[in-house]
Amino acid sequence: MSKWIEKNNEIMRRDELGQLSLSKDKEAIKLYLEHIKSKTKQFSNQIARLRYLVEEDYYIDVFKDYSEETLLELLDYAYSFGFEFQSFMAASKFYDTYALKTRDKSQWLEDFEQHNVIVSLYLAGGDVDLAKRYIKAHTLQTVQTATPTYLNAGRKHRGELASCYLFTMDDTLNSINFIRSQVSQASKIAGGVAVNLTRLRGRGATLKGVKNVGKGIVPVAKLIEGEVSYADQLGQRAGAGAAYLNIFHSDVIELLNTKKVNADEDTRLATLSIGLIVPSLFFDLAKEDKDLYMFEPYSIQEEFGKDVILDDININDWYDKFVENENVIKHKINAREMLNLIAQIQLQSGYPYIMYKDNANKNHALNELGEIKMSNLCTEIFQYMHVSNIKDYNEQDELGQDIICNLASLNMVKSIEEKAIEESIRTGMRALTFVANNSRIEHLPTVHKANKNNRAVGLGVMSFHSMCAKNKIRYGSEESLDLLNVYCMMMDYYSLDESMKIAVERNDKFYGFDQTDYKAKDGKEFGEYFCKNNRVTKNVEPITPKVKEIFKGIYIPTKEDWQRLAREVDKNGLYNSYRLSIAPTQSISYITNCSSALTPVVDVVEKRKYGNSETYYPMPYLSPETMWFYSPTAFDIPQEHIINVAAVAQKWIDQGVSTILFVNSEIETNKLARLYAYAHDRGLKSLYYTRNKLISIAECTSCAV
């Protein structure tokens, strides 16, 4: 065991008062960084280092856009902040995952500041002032780009910078093969991939007039799993994917069974995640203790016409017709039994994810352009999409529109304490927009089309529990919800304002803007989006004394500001069709000394594997005083608190909030099922996986911002 690991382990030694030896982690950092320094390639000066990295094809040619004098100035600026890692976990995560090494992995080629500079130089595209803004944001850690961007930006040989890719598969072999190819290409460039299988005919369906021969969706899901496993990013990051299916599809129970502990090896999905698309009708059936009928999609089309597609219809309008028609192939199960089955399988595997389809579309500002039909690998991306019609080789394909999104997260603690909420939001929007405009995805034609039309981005937030604990606020309390409500309102306001400013600068707005709820219609003064949530009619401001103190000296937009913004957006448009999504920050939260996203911490001191050893990660700002505000931790806190927190944020977030439930193994399935219904009733768009205290679930690295 190395000496820095030994020193880190001394954290758990308690003094005569029973307190943890937290200072030992600082000593571990010092020892570790001394080791890093001894293994770092040395250069005579910074310019010599940059020349070497450019000439050896490690970095892009930064000398094309920046002079030597400017490069030195920016490097000095990065070091001027006096950055220090706040935990051994932060330092080791940065150097193990993000810092550039020689190709033989024997030496490091950059430190934290140098890495931030190359990322910022790339994202700024030659704009020195913008580069300084990015350097400041990354070094002060007020806003942090996602892993794909933070890992790859500025490198000569790299993966793509976006995080998420979503595809819809049609019910033809041409489409199946086309989407499989797209999945491989997206996985290869470091994307987390999700595929909607709802349009595929079920097992036992008719095929070319022959009845009962359809193989169903599980074999296709196995193919997707193979593509994702095969195509990774040069072994640096494993591929990761998810298959989504509507709960009214006849194969839904078969898909759920692929995650059972005793699943047959021929059908088990060992690495592919699964998610359910759940319209509100399902919960209505469960509340009324009725049967859930699940329908085979092709038999629906045989009876009602090719335009009646399970993935497209409003199930409320068709459900009774399908039930009553004896020619529609269907299976049934009591709806409450289905809820319990979902809960049972979640307790075994953590899956399925749950996507609340009607909630997602209820406040969707782009409903006139298309419907939200699925979510992504981490359940925070919600955008419209159109299926492609992939024809034979001698015919022209009719390309639809799939989904791409790139991510970043605000650090709530740092952005508030630096009085830089507005600056951080605007900086994050600029960085994400650059990634959208410079993504190399022509080989993904349906994604490329979406990116060109939408320029969708996903700015989120992390460090919520850390912010609460540092300020002695209980997670889930009225004060915590007050804090989050004001902060997310500001995210909504400033992201809109910045996207509008970019539209003005570029004299360009996203495709279809005039059809959206951002545009005033029917003689109304404001677009419908601005009339919801009392944006233009009521001031949103802190209501509890402690939160008032936290925001002291920080300007909070008023209803008059919202009115001004609504008029300017109506006049000028927006550059980005989607702006906000709260992803499950994992790796990045360690580096930035944050609790993850909006999630409560799992342990006050987290134990992690590090090679063959164990290390300890004390929660940010942990002290004898703040320890009590990190408790109860995630597995002991009422799970309704987690849902309530997500619901407050969701009011202001135009996409979604990745929300994890934490349960103990002894929880009854009907209690877990009630949480699904509660989340639906609170307006959540999704639930990510359920963590069982006795089951270890691999973290999602593709969307980990």
Side-chain angles (χ1 to χ4, degrees):
M1 184 185 296
S2 59
K3 54 186 178 181
W4 48 88
I5 298 291
E6 291 178 356
K7 190 61 66 176
N8 168 268
N9 287 185
E10 291 178 16
I11 290 173
M12 303 308 294
R13 293 183 183 176
R14 296 183 180 270
D15 61 21
E16 60 275 8
L17 298 176
Q19 300 296 333
L20 296 170
S21 302
L22 297 175
S23 62
K24 297 299 181 182
D25 201 42
K26 298 290 186 183
E27 297 177 34
I29 297 169
K30 183 178 179 181
L31 291 170
Y32 178 70
L33 293 180
E34 288 173 355
H35 163 71
I36 293 295
K37 186 176 181 179
S38 71
K39 295 291 187 178
T40 298
K41 185 175 180 63
Q42 299 300 310
F43 298 91
S44 58
N45 56 59
Q46 291 281 14
I47 294 300
R49 173 184 166 276
L50 287 172
R51 290 285 182 194
Y52 171 84
L53 293 175
V54 170
E55 290 168 2
E56 294 298 317
D57 285 342
Y58 286 102
Y59 282 176
I60 59 170
D61 188 356
V62 295
F63 297 99
K64 285 184 178 180
D65 294 324
Y66 304 92
S67 67
E68 290 188 4
E69 181 181 4
T70 297
L71 291 168
L72 289 173
E73 176 190 345
L74 292 174
L75 283 159
D76 288 343
Y77 182 66
Y79 286 110
S80 71
F81 294 101
F83 173 82
E84 293 182 357
F85 287 106
Q86 296 302 304
S87 67
F88 169 73
M89 176 67 76
S92 60
K93 179 65 72 172
F94 171 75
Y95 280 104
D96 287 349
T97 303
Y98 298 98
L100 182 66
K101 285 184 177 181
T102 54
R103 293 185 178 91
D104 63 4
K105 308 297 183 183
S106 65
Q107 290 181 296
W108 277 277
L109 293 170
E110 60 186 11
D111 60 21
F112 180 76
E113 288 84 356
Q114 290 165 341
H115 182 80
N116 287 342
V117 167
I118 188 60
V119 170
S120 300
L121 291 174
Y122 178 80
L123 295 178
D127 186 324
V128 176
D129 290 337
L130 201 52
K132 292 186 77 170
R133 284 175 60 182
Y134 294 150
I135 290 168
K136 179 182 179 182
H138 279 107
T139 309
L140 286 180
Q141 299 185 318
T142 55
V143 59
Q144 176 65 57
T145 46
T147 289
T149 301
Y150 195 56
L151 177 66
N152 291 308
R155 296 190 181 181
K156 185 67 176 293
H157 302 290
R158 61 170 176 83
E160 194 44 70
L161 308 181
S163 299
C164 302
Y165 302 84
L166 286 71
F167 302 98
T168 289
M169 192 174 274
D170 203 5
D171 188 36
T172 69
L173 192 57
N174 285 353
S175 178
I176 291 170
N177 288 329
F178 174 71
I179 296 300
R180 283 181 60 193
S181 173
Q182 298 259 91
V183 165
S184 295
Q185 294 287 355
S187 183
K188 179 186 73 173
I189 56 178
V193 180
V195 182
N196 182 3
L197 303 178
T198 301
R199 299 174 76 95
L200 299 186
R201 67 191 70 193
R203 187 168 66 84
T206 299
L207 189 63
K208 291 188 175 181
V210 181
K211 294 184 177 181
N212 202 34
V213 293
K215 293 182 172 61
I217 61 97
V218 171
V220 179
K222 291 286 287 184
L223 292 174
I224 295 169
E225 182 176 59
E227 300 289 353
V228 171
S229 299
Y230 177 74
D232 61 12
Q233 191 190 344
L234 301 176
Q236 287 183 285
R237 303 180 73 217
Y244 276 85
L245 189 68
N246 194 296
I247 200 167
F248 289 96
H249 191 290
S250 58
D251 282 8
V252 69
I253 291 178
E254 289 191 24
L255 182 65
L256 290 173
N257 287 341
T258 65
K259 288 299 183 182
K260 281 188 173 180
V261 170
N262 60 351
D264 185 275
E265 286 303 317
D266 291 336
T267 59
R268 178 192 300 276
L269 295 175
T271 59
L272 191 74
S273 305
I274 63 171
L276 296 183
I277 302 162
V278 185
S280 296
L281 176 60
F282 169 72
F283 290 99
D284 295 337
L285 295 172
K287 287 174 183 177
E288 297 170 15
D289 198 19
K290 291 184 176 180
D291 285 335
L292 162 70
Y293 282 87
M294 299 157 287
F295 310 105
E296 195 286 303
Y298 188 71
S299 68
I300 291 173
Q301 292 182 283
E302 285 186 305
E303 283 298 301
F304 294 96
K306 292 184 178 180
D307 293 334
V308 184
I309 299 170
L310 183 61
D311 193 40
D312 295 343
I313 60 172
N314 182 338
I315 190 66
N316 292 282
D317 298 335
W318 290 90
Y319 184 75
D320 290 339
K321 297 176 185 177
F322 296 162
V323 172
E324 294 164 1
N325 190 303
E326 62 182 17
N327 293 323
V328 173
I329 298 172
K330 59 184 76 71
H331 311 301
K332 74 174 180 177
I333 182 175
N334 179 271
R336 292 182 182 177
E337 288 183 26
M338 174 61 91
L339 275 173
N340 286 328
L341 176 62
I342 293 169
Q344 174 192 349
I345 292 171
Q346 277 207 338
L347 289 174
Q348 292 182 21
S349 67
Y351 306 102
Y353 310 148
I354 298 174
M355 181 267 188
Y356 300 107
K357 184 177 182 181
D358 292 326
N359 285 359
N361 284 285
K362 185 177 181 180
N363 293 311
H364 179 216
L366 280 67
N367 265 333
E368 292 297 318
L369 299 179
E371 185 182 46
I372 298 170
K373 297 186 177 182
M374 62 180 294
S375 188
N376 67 314
L377 185 61
C378 298
T379 73
E380 80 280 3
I381 301 303
F382 291 87
Q383 300 173 22
Y384 77 87
M385 58 202 311
H386 297 140
V387 70
S388 299
N389 181 8
I390 306 301
K391 300 184 179 182
D392 293 333
Y393 285 114
N394 61 339
E395 299 178 81
Q396 184 67 39
D397 295 335
E398 297 173 7
L399 293 181
Q401 184 168 296
D402 286 310
I403 294 172
I404 178 175
C405 201
N406 58 95
L407 307 171
S409 286
L410 304 165
N411 181 333
M412 181 180 282
V413 173
K414 291 294 182 70
S415 63
I416 290 177
E417 292 185 348
E418 295 287 335
K419 296 195 179 340
I421 300 175
E422 176 182 353
E423 178 185 353
S424 300
I425 295 167
R426 293 189 186 279
T427 299
M429 286 296 296
R430 290 277 168 175
L432 290 171
T433 299
F434 180 88
V435 173
N437 285 335
N438 290 273
S439 292
R440 307 179 307 195
I441 48 174
E442 289 84 356
H443 54 294
L444 299 173
T446 59
V447 167
H448 180 67
K449 180 178 179 180
N451 191 56
K452 183 179 179 181
N453 287 342
N454 289 347
R455 280 95 64 157
V457 302
L459 182 63
V461 62
M462 55 187 172
S463 202
F464 176 62
H465 199 179
S466 299
M467 184 72 192
C468 291
K470 190 175 185 184
N471 289 276
K472 301 180 181 177
I473 294 173
R474 293 285 180 194
Y475 184 99
S477 67
E478 180 187 2
E479 290 174 322
S480 73
L481 301 181
D482 185 21
L483 168 66
L484 186 62
N485 187 53
V486 175
Y487 192 91
C488 289
M489 180 277 288
M490 296 174 73
M491 289 176 63
D492 190 21
Y493 179 86
Y494 288 119
S495 64
L496 278 166
D497 195 52
E498 191 67 11
S499 185
M500 184 269 295
K501 289 181 184 299
I502 298 171
V504 171
E505 292 169 13
R506 294 176 174 266
N507 191 29
D508 189 11
K509 52 190 175 184
F510 71 79
Y511 173 81
F513 169 82
D514 289 343
Q515 297 173 251
T516 71
D517 288 349
Y518 296 113
K519 181 73 176 175
K521 302 171 187 172
D522 302 324
K524 294 181 179 179
E525 185 178 6
F526 306 115
E528 181 65 23
Y529 181 87
F530 298 96
C531 298
K532 294 178 180 177
N533 244 13
N534 297 316
R535 287 175 174 88
V536 294
T537 57
K538 185 178 179 181
N539 286 336
V540 176
E541 51 194 9
I543 58 176
T544 57
K546 190 168 285 187
V547 177
K548 288 180 180 178
E549 185 63 27
I550 287 171
F551 283 99
K552 188 176 181 179
I554 298 173
Y555 184 78
I556 299 173
T558 65
K559 64 181 180 181
E560 289 79 16
D561 292 317
W562 273 104
Q563 292 166 8
R564 186 272 314 167
L565 178 60
R567 293 186 184 99
E568 292 191 3
V569 167
D570 183 68
K571 176 184 176 182
N572 300 310
L574 297 171
Y575 192 75
N576 312 94
S577 61
Y578 298 93
R579 297 163 287 110
L580 303 174
S581 61
I582 300 180
T585 59
Q586 293 161 348
S587 296
I588 288 300
S589 63
Y590 290 126
I591 296 174
T592 48
N593 197 40
C594 286
S595 58
S596 178
L598 303 182
T599 306
V601 303
V602 175
D603 292 299
V604 175
V605 178
E606 187 177 324
K607 182 164 66 174
R608 300 279 292 190
K609 285 286 185 182
Y610 187 79
N612 296 322
S613 306
E614 289 184 340
T615 62
Y616 295 90
Y617 172 55
M619 289 301 103
Y621 318 111
L622 186 63
S623 70
E625 292 77 28
T626 62
M627 179 178 292
W628 305 108
F629 294 90
Y630 275 124
S631 298
T633 51
F635 286 104
D636 299 314
I637 200 170
Q639 296 302 290
E640 290 83 357
H641 287 0
I642 298 176
I643 293 170
N644 291 340
V645 164
V648 167
Q650 185 63 80
K651 292 190 305 179
W652 305 104
I653 303 300
D654 64 330
Q655 294 193 74
V657 179
S658 186
T659 305
I660 301 172
L661 298 181
F662 300 83
V663 299
N664 295 304
S665 293
E666 64 270 17
I667 189 173
E668 297 174 2
T669 56
N670 64 341
K671 290 183 179 180
L672 183 53
R674 283 199 290 269
L675 289 174
Y676 306 152
Y678 182 69
H680 169 267
D681 292 345
R682 286 305 315 273
L684 267 64
K685 296 181 181 180
S686 66
L687 288 174
Y688 193 20
Y689 60 73
T690 295
R691 284 190 63 174
N692 185 324
K693 201 167 189 177
L694 298 183
I695 294 178
S696 175
I697 298 175
E699 67 178 3
C700 163
T701 56
S702 288
C703 288
V705 280

